[in-house]
Amino acid sequence: MSIKKLYLELTDKCNLNCKICYRKSWGQDFYDMKQDVLNKLINELNDHSDLKEIVIGGIGEPTFSKHFKKTLELLKNYKLTVTTNGTLMNEELSEYFIKYVDVVTISIDGLFDKYKEIRGTSLDLIIKNINMLNKLKDKFSSRTPLIDIQFVLSNQNIAEIFKVMDLSSDLKANKFIISNVIPQSEENKDNILYTRYENKNIKSLFNELTVHAMHKGIKIALPNYELKTIRRCNFIENSAVFICASGDVSPCYRFSHDCTEYVLGREKHIDKFTFGNIEVDTLLNIWNMEGYKSFRERILHNLYPSCMDCNLVDGCDHVNNTDADCYSLSPACGDCLWSREFVQCP
C-alpha cells in the first residue's frame, strides 16, 4: 500500500475564532510549517508515484500561511483541494486558485446573523469573495476551481440549512457538503443531531434535502444521522496521511492534535498520535515503518472494538481517552465519529 492522498497543514493558526472550532479545547502552541520542512517534503513527493491528490487545509486556515501561494505553485501537478473559511480570498489569491486549484471548499454554517454568531465575521464578505472568484473564472474561461460549500450541522443552525443550500446554488457551488458538529465543550455537547438509535426526524430532513438539492441542481454529500453497524476509515481506505504544521505525521485529522470532544454526550480526551516527523525522517520511511503498517491493517479490517454500541460503555474507563482500548491497542479508534461517518472531510 502506497500513499495516494496527502493532507497538508501549512499552519494551525487562523484569522478567525469560530465557536465550533477544534482549537477551542486546545492547550498547545500554534505552528506555521517551517519553509525548510515544507521544501523537504515537496522534494520527497517524487518518491510517492501513486500520490495524486493533496488537500491543503487541516485545523488552521491555509490562506493565512505566508507559504500558501508558493505551495500552490510547487504542487501544481497534483489534484489540489483547498479548505478555507473564504475570508482572505482577494483577487490575487483567487487568480492563484484558478491557475492551480481543482476544488475549493468553503465553510458556510448559517445565514447572516447565525453565520456571524458562529464564525465571528460577515457572510457578506464570503459572498463577495465567491462572486469575485466566479467572475474571474468566467474571465479566464476556467471550469476550476469547483466550489464546494461545507455546512456543519447542529441544533444551532438546523433551521437555516435549506436557505444555505439555496445560497450555495446561487453561488454556483458544485456540491453542498453536510457534516455533523463535534462538540468541543460541555456547553455544546447537546447540540448534536445524530443519535445512537433510530433518528426519524433527521432521516426525514435528509430525504427532503436530497430532493431539494436535485431541484437546485447541486450535488449533496450527507453524513450519517444514526449509528450504523458498518465502520470505515476513509483516511485508511484512501491511503491517506496527514502532515501537521509541526511536521508530525499523523494517520488522520482526529489524531493530528490534542483536543477534547464529546462523543454522544461523553467527554473524551483525544491524544495526538504521530508516527514520526518529516523534519528528521523521510515520509517514505515513516509510512513504511512496521507500526504504521500494522495500524493501517488493523483499521482497514476493523480489528478493534466498537465503543459506541458496546453495552459496557457507560462504565468503561477506556472510552475516557484514546490511550488504549480494551484490546490493549493504541491509539484507540473505537469511538471515532469519522469511522461512523457522522463527520465528513474533503
Side-chain angles (χ1 to χ4, degrees), residues 2-10 33 38 41-42 44-45 48 50-58 71 75 78-82 235 238-244 248-251 253 278 283 287 292 346:
S2 54
I3 297 174
K4 296 179 182 177
K5 188 173 183 177
L6 172 68
Y7 289 85
L8 177 58
E9 183 182 73
L10 295 177
M33 183 169 281
L38 179 60
L41 171 64
I42 292 173
E44 290 177 6
L45 294 185
H48 301 270
D50 290 330
L51 177 64
K52 306 298 181 187
E53 182 177 1
I54 297 177
V55 179
I56 302 176
T71 301
L75 297 177
Y78 297 93
K79 177 185 176 183
L80 292 183
T81 296
V82 173
F235 294 98
N238 292 333
S239 297
V241 64
F242 188 106
I243 310 294
C244 304
D248 289 330
V249 178
S250 181
Y253 265 104
I278 58 172
L283 179 58
W287 178 259
Y292 201 169

Side-chain angles (χ1 to χ4, degrees), residues 224 227-229 231 306 309 336-342:
N224 274 341
L227 196 62
K228 305 291 186 181
T229 302
R231 295 185 298 174
S306 177
D309 47 1
C336 181
L337 294 165
W338 278 267
S339 73
R340 298 296 189 154
E341 298 186 350
F342 290 129

Side-chain angles (χ1 to χ4, degrees), residues 14-147:
C14 189
N15 61 318
L16 299 183
N17 187 23
C18 304
K19 288 179 65 174
I20 57 176
C21 184
Y22 290 88
R23 298 156 81 249
K24 288 292 187 183
S25 65
W26 282 10
Q28 63 185 66
D29 295 330
F30 298 109
Y31 291 94
D32 294 309
M33 183 169 281
K34 298 176 186 175
Q35 181 69 66
D36 58 340
V37 174
L38 179 60
N39 291 341
K40 180 177 180 291
L41 171 64
I42 292 173
N43 289 335
E44 290 177 6
L45 294 185
N46 290 329
D47 296 331
H48 301 270
S49 58
D50 290 330
L51 177 64
K52 306 298 181 187
E53 182 177 1
I54 297 177
V55 179
I56 302 176
I59 308 304
E61 170 52 41
T63 63
F64 200 47
S65 167
K66 61 184 179 182
H67 306 311
F68 179 72
K69 287 183 286 189
K70 185 64 176 179
T71 301
L72 295 186
E73 295 175 7
L74 293 172
L75 297 177
K76 63 183 179 182
N77 293 325
Y78 297 93
K79 177 185 176 183
L80 292 183
T81 296
V82 173
T83 63
T84 176
N85 57 40
T87 56
L88 303 177
M89 286 170 51
N90 56 32
E91 185 168 342
E92 180 187 10
L93 195 58
S94 294
E95 290 188 8
Y96 266 79
F97 282 152
I98 291 167
K99 190 171 183 179
Y100 300 111
V101 177
D102 296 276
V103 180
V104 58
T105 302
I106 301 171
S107 299
I108 300 179
D109 305 309
L111 293 182
F112 300 92
D113 291 342
K114 182 58 64 178
Y115 182 88
K116 176 82 171 181
E117 177 188 334
I118 294 172
R119 297 281 172 178
T121 191
S122 169
L123 181 58
D124 287 318
L125 172 63
I126 310 305
I127 293 172
K128 178 178 75 72
N129 288 346
I130 295 175
N131 283 331
M132 174 184 60
L133 177 60
N134 280 323
K135 288 179 181 177
L136 288 170
K137 285 170 63 177
D138 290 340
K139 175 183 175 181
F140 294 109
S141 301
S142 178
R143 178 175 171 270
T144 56
L146 299 177
I147 299 169

